Amino acid sequence: MRDRRAFLAVALVVATTAPARAFSADGCEQQRKQYPANWNDTSAEKTLFTCESQQGRFYVKIGATDEAGRTLMSLVPFSRTNAGVKVETGLDVLRIWLDKEQTRRLRGGKYLATVVRKENSCWIRGNIDEDVVFLMDNAHPREDDPGAAGSFYNKAPRFTVLGNGSVNCEPFK
């Protein structure tokens, strides 16, 4: 019994004095270096979808795939001119790296949910307070019973969301 208490006391001392794994002083800078130096330049990326709502408009774009098989996704705000031309604003791009499966689903317009980063984001210990959730679901399944109470009541509603607002996304033409 005495040996057990001594062992537990030593274990407690070791556990409470072991150095905690700290976030390095340049951790935020290391995270930022994973992304393009010119954050808002998406000119080399391919547009997959055009998304619009009352709260805003953006393109869903993908960039190059890195050595690890990750593909950069960007949500790029745009505005419409008086002539109806869509012009990228060049500001406030949201980005995230997608794995192969996420990229496949995005290209296919299938369900995808992820958090997208702002340029100054720093994810220390999972804190994403300043970032935005992006959920895209462009599947349009038939309702269960077309003659019943209406399509909304015959299937789970499917829609796309950026942050706290729903948007409509269509394939880019």
Side-chain angles (χ1 to χ4, degrees):
M1 182 67 116
R2 181 181 235 188
D3 290 337
R4 183 171 182 227
R5 284 187 197 157
F7 173 77
L8 290 174
V10 170
L12 180 63
V13 169
V14 169
T16 58
T17 60
R21 188 158 180 233
F23 190 76
S24 65
D26 68 341
C28 294
E29 291 78 15
Q30 292 300 319
Q31 287 179 1
R32 176 62 181 85
K33 285 181 182 178
Q34 296 178 30
Y35 293 86
N38 184 350
W39 184 268
N40 290 316
D41 181 9
T42 62
S43 59
E45 297 179 22
K46 178 182 178 186
T47 305
L48 298 179
F49 297 95
T50 303
C51 301
E52 299 188 62
S53 73
Q54 291 179 333
Q55 289 124 347
R57 301 173 172 99
F58 59 93
Y59 292 120
V60 177
K61 293 179 141 188
I62 57 171
T65 301
D66 70 6
E67 310 81 45
R70 301 177 315 157
T71 303
L72 188 62
M73 180 186 82
S74 302
L75 302 182
V76 183
F78 71 86
S79 61
R80 290 182 181 265
T81 65
N82 289 339
V85 177
K86 297 174 182 174
V87 179
E88 291 184 22
T89 64
L91 300 171
D92 300 327
V93 171
L94 301 171
R95 295 180 175 271
I96 196 67
W97 286 101
L98 302 177
D99 64 27
K100 289 178 185 179
E101 174 63 16
Q102 290 171 313
T103 302
R104 185 185 66 75
R105 295 181 70 75
L106 176 65
R107 286 181 185 270
K110 305 267 171 80
Y111 180 86
L112 170 76
T114 188
V115 175
V116 287
R117 297 176 61 108
K118 298 176 183 177
E119 182 176 12
N120 61 350
S121 296
C122 183
W123 295 350
I124 300 173
R125 296 178 192 87
N127 184 345
I128 59 172
D129 288 343
E130 299 293 320
D131 295 298
V132 181
V133 172
F134 175 60
L135 179 142
M136 188 170 100
D137 191 347
N138 278 355
H140 298 291
R142 294 176 20 165
E143 59 261 21
D144 297 334
D145 183 0
S151 63
F152 182 81
Y153 296 101
N154 291 315
K155 64 179 181 181
R158 295 184 147 199
F159 49 87
T160 298
V161 173
L162 180 62
N164 61 1
S166 65
V167 296
N168 181 40
C169 294
E170 298 295 331
F172 182 74
K173 298 174 187 173

